[in-house]
Amino acid sequence: MSGSSSSHHHLAQQQYLQSNVLPQSGKLQIPNQKQQFGRFDASALHIAHALRATELQKAYKKEKPMHYYLAKEEQTELEMRHRVEEDALYNRFAQARAEEDAKITAEIREEWERELEKLTSKFESLRVREDHHTVQRLKAKEREDLERHMTLRRDRRKEQTTRKLLEHERAATAALVEKQSKEMINLINERKREFIQRVGTTEEISGGGSETEVFPYPQQAPPPGPPSIHKHDIYSDPIEFAEVDQIAISVAQEDQKTFTDLVRQLLSRCGTDVEKARTIFRWITVKNLNAMDFSEDVRTDTPMGLLRGIKQGTESYHVLFKRLCAYAGLHCVVIKGLSKSAGYQPGLRFSDNRFRNSWNAVYVAGAWRFVQCNWGARHLVNAKERASKSDSLRYEYDDHYFLTDPKEFIFEFFPQQSEWQLLKRPISIKEFEELPFVRSLFFRYGLYFPAGQTSEGVLNSFGEIISHCKAVMATDSSGAATVRIGMPPQMESCLIFHYNLKMYDTEADVYDGVSLKRFVMQSVSPPIVSFRVHAPSSGAFLLDIFANAVTPREYLTGEPMKFKSVCKVKIECGNLSTVMVPLPDCASGEWGPAKATRLFGLLPLSHPDPLVFAGRELLLEFRMSRPLTDFMATLHKNGTEEKKLAKYTSQLVRNDEVIFTITFPEEGQYGLDIYTREIEVNDHHTVPGTSGKQLLTHCCKYLINSSKKNIA
């Protein structure tokens, strides 16, 4: 990028920051740090409580609505000319498909006749040696086999041809949308210029009293470059878009016959370029285009005909987003590259086209910013929801994929052209492969990889650390490797983690009859959660780490919780110098008292760490910061039945102190699970916990090594 274009690029971003974030006092308002991690999954009810009840008011300089300078009739007229071009293109597609189909049918018919002639000739010679009925039976069987074989060949050839034609059709459609988008934006810019000549650069909105900038948006698409402000500087919480999101949802429930009508309805309350991009993004994520029922004879001048490209597979979400952005006057590009999508596992090399993908960059807030509508819209719908709700609309979405910061986007997407990484220092494909496999939830929770991992981290060509964690970790000679994840302060009290460990190649989750989960020790020492893997054998393993944000109240109900994957790491183990034994068979999840403090307000007085070294007896002491009751402890040891160990644990509650006494029948490694439940205080009486349930909830667990050597 030249120096002049670069300076213009950063100037545009600074102007945006000044006009959109600076209040009238002139001082930059730094967003509340707690809200920086408000990029939450809108379907997660436990996050909804954290959203602000009222929309934030920012000092945006809003652009004039389009109807001020471009008549709807003129925009529709250009759209109709575009539709004629599109009709001609789709007619050529249909003609090419018909010709190819006829060609394949003719070729298969010729092959069939030749093979049938050979078959007839073969059985003519058999007539001399075999009786008539035997010959007819054999001939009928071979003819049936031949017919089946030829049908398979025909279908396979048609499938291959259709795939090749579809690739061509997609490219041709994208090229036409590119041309038409430029024409639409040129029309919008031309009418804007004429409007400026008449009214000047600013004008008071009648009755509003706030200054509106008429032409703040660049007429020509700027070159790609890194944004100078982060996503959380533009907005810190999706609730800020509550009004435009609701418009998108409402518009998605109706049908429109033209893109002009559709976009003008979407932009009805949008004043900024960010809001325009947002309402288009939300319309696409709400409108479940893949589930829409298209009839075969759909007309182009109907609502369904408007989206025929989606039906035929020639137009992707990304091309549609670009098209709608053009109608809104926004510069947008479709970026092609690779993604760590379905089927990808850490450690895979991008040696073929399996993981090809496309996404968008839209120019808003003074810079190019990423949008991934397809991933923003994806979610699972269970059978009950599918039976009770309309398949054509979906309200869940992933806000992470709207205006994603480049430093986060690069973990999942690698463009063909390095400048579209939008990074100051682009990375190589090898570095992209080495980056850990993280999902959007990792960033929405504000998680990060701290220093001190088993691996040395991923470096770029300048020797700078891109990530402290690698996609593939090697164990030491004892089979140990540790993955460490950092939590932001505001998430420490509500995040719960879980994990799965499987064989990398076979996905088996059991080794020698023991769950592989028992070869991982998860512990929390705020702000770090650690997963210490002890491979039971040489080979490759897959560690999948899950998380969920819950309140103590939600956890204490005992209801099942849904965890989503935040990252995956491949663990490679060479030759083992020692044989690892599994951890005691305790409840799943983290070791140590941090969970007890976080969710139950139970403070450890004697043993704050998950690993305890004891003699033949141990006292564990806690203090309650809120009322708890019905404490219970269970002891576990490999090779010993749990019920035989029940008599070795006891507990005593004295005022706000809880004391567990454990005696060990023999030396060795033990696991201790502690359970309790909350009580409510109403009218000075203790009442069993919510809903009258007498359920105990897992509180915490310890790993204890008992030995005479540990006696002081």
Side-chain angles (χ1 to χ4, degrees), residues 1 62 65 95 132 231 235 315 372 411 459 483 586 664:
M1 188 191 302
K62 299 197 172 186
Q95 184 178 352
H132 176 72
K231 174 177 176 173
Y235 74 101
E315 187 166 340
Q372 226 302 10
F411 275 80
L459 306 178
V483 177
C586 292
F664 303 99

Side-chain angles (χ1 to χ4, degrees), residues 353-372:
N353 292 325
R354 262 190 308 165
F355 300 105
R356 286 189 305 172
N357 211 325
S358 300
W359 55 93
N360 295 107
V362 60
Y363 194 87
V364 294
W368 288 103
R369 301 183 186 277
F370 293 121
V371 174
Q372 226 302 10

Side-chain angles (χ1 to χ4, degrees), residues 427-684:
I427 69 172
S428 67
I429 184 67
K430 181 177 180 294
E431 291 155 358
F432 177 65
E433 291 170 343
E434 289 180 342
L435 284 174
F437 185 26
V438 300
R439 313 312 283 162
S440 62
L441 197 66
F442 185 90
F443 297 112
R444 294 204 307 276
Y445 285 159
L447 304 177
Y448 60 93
F449 293 109
Q453 309 284 343
T454 296
S455 62
E456 69 274 18
V458 183
L459 306 178
N460 63 17
S461 57
F462 296 89
E464 301 166 333
I465 292 182
I466 312 169
S467 169
H468 285 290
C469 182
K470 273 189 171 182
V472 181
M473 280 192 182
T475 67
D476 59 21
S477 60
S478 70
T482 303
V483 177
R484 303 170 76 238
I485 295 176
M487 299 175 282
Q490 70 275 14
M491 301 302 287
E492 289 176 14
S493 62
C494 62
L495 277 180
I496 296 180
F497 290 86
H498 276 280
Y499 63 87
N500 271 329
L501 187 67
K502 295 181 179 181
M503 299 289 188
Y504 186 83
D505 295 319
T506 65
E507 294 194 355
D509 58 2
V510 173
Y511 175 79
D512 199 20
V514 177
S515 170
L516 283 173
K517 285 185 177 182
R518 290 173 61 188
F519 293 93
V520 181
M521 185 171 185
Q522 174 191 339
S523 59
V524 177
S525 179
I528 306 300
V529 56
S530 300
F531 299 85
R532 178 90 169 162
V533 178
H534 289 275
S537 67
S538 58
F541 300 84
L542 182 66
L543 178 66
D544 196 352
I545 298 172
F546 303 85
N548 194 359
V550 298
T551 64
R553 173 63 57 188
E554 289 168 326
Y555 182 81
L556 289 169
T557 63
E559 295 295 324
M561 289 178 293
K562 183 178 180 181
F563 288 84
K564 293 184 179 180
S565 179
V566 292
C567 72
K568 296 181 182 182
V569 178
K570 182 181 182 182
I571 308 292
E572 291 184 338
C573 178
N575 295 325
L576 283 172
S577 61
T578 57
V579 177
M580 301 307 299
V581 296
L583 293 168
D585 193 11
C586 292
S588 63
E590 69 187 77
W591 294 82
K595 176 181 168 184
T597 303
R598 197 168 64 244
L599 297 174
F600 294 83
L602 193 62
L603 310 174
L605 300 178
S606 59
H607 295 81
D609 299 320
L611 184 58
V612 176
F613 294 92
R616 297 298 293 270
E617 186 175 275
L618 174 67
L619 294 181
L620 290 173
E621 300 176 45
F622 296 87
R623 173 171 287 121
M624 292 182 283
S625 62
R626 62 174 184 264
L628 299 169
T629 189
D630 291 348
F631 287 94
M632 183 182 79
T634 58
L635 199 60
H636 308 268
K637 187 178 188 294
N638 290 344
T640 304
E641 290 184 34
E642 181 184 321
K643 62 182 180 181
K644 291 183 178 180
L645 297 173
K647 61 184 178 181
Y648 296 104
T649 65
S650 62
Q651 52 276 336
L652 171 67
V653 178
R654 187 170 53 205
N655 298 322
D656 62 349
E657 288 190 6
V658 186
I659 302 168
F660 294 90
T661 303
I662 303 99
T663 56
F664 303 99
E666 58 182 335
E667 293 186 344
Q669 188 180 72
Y670 293 82
L672 182 73
D673 281 318
I674 296 175
Y675 297 84
T676 186
R677 66 180 177 86
E678 197 173 36
I679 59 175
E680 295 178 351
V681 180
N682 293 325
D683 300 323
H684 306 291

Side-chain angles (χ1 to χ4, degrees), residues 143-205:
R143 178 177 176 134
E144 184 180 326
D145 291 342
L146 176 62
E147 191 170 346
R148 188 183 305 111
H149 174 69
M150 295 300 293
T151 301
L152 288 172
R153 287 184 64 181
R154 181 198 64 196
D155 293 346
R156 192 159 47 242
R157 197 176 300 179
K158 282 188 174 182
E159 184 181 337
Q160 292 171 348
T161 302
T162 300
R163 195 180 303 120
K164 289 180 181 177
L165 285 173
L166 189 57
E167 285 290 322
H168 166 75
E169 291 168 3
R170 285 172 176 166
T173 301
L176 182 63
V177 172
E178 174 71 25
K179 166 190 167 293
Q180 293 178 345
S181 295
K182 287 180 180 177
E183 292 175 355
M184 184 59 70
I185 287 181
N186 287 341
L187 172 65
I188 292 171
N189 285 338
E190 188 177 338
R191 294 298 174 261
K192 274 185 179 179
R193 281 192 294 271
E194 294 171 356
F195 184 71
I196 287 173
Q197 291 173 358
R198 294 197 306 272
V199 303
T201 57
T202 60
E203 184 184 41
E204 293 293 314
I205 299 177

Side-chain angles (χ1 to χ4, degrees), residues 195-236:
F195 184 71
I196 287 173
Q197 291 173 358
R198 294 197 306 272
V199 303
T201 57
T202 60
E203 184 184 41
E204 293 293 314
I205 299 177
S206 58
S210 61
E211 190 179 82
T212 300
E213 196 169 352
V214 178
F215 203 56
Y217 196 77
Q219 297 181 50
Q220 300 299 321
S228 62
I229 59 175
H230 296 290
K231 174 177 176 173
H232 63 71
D233 294 320
I234 301 171
Y235 74 101
S236 53

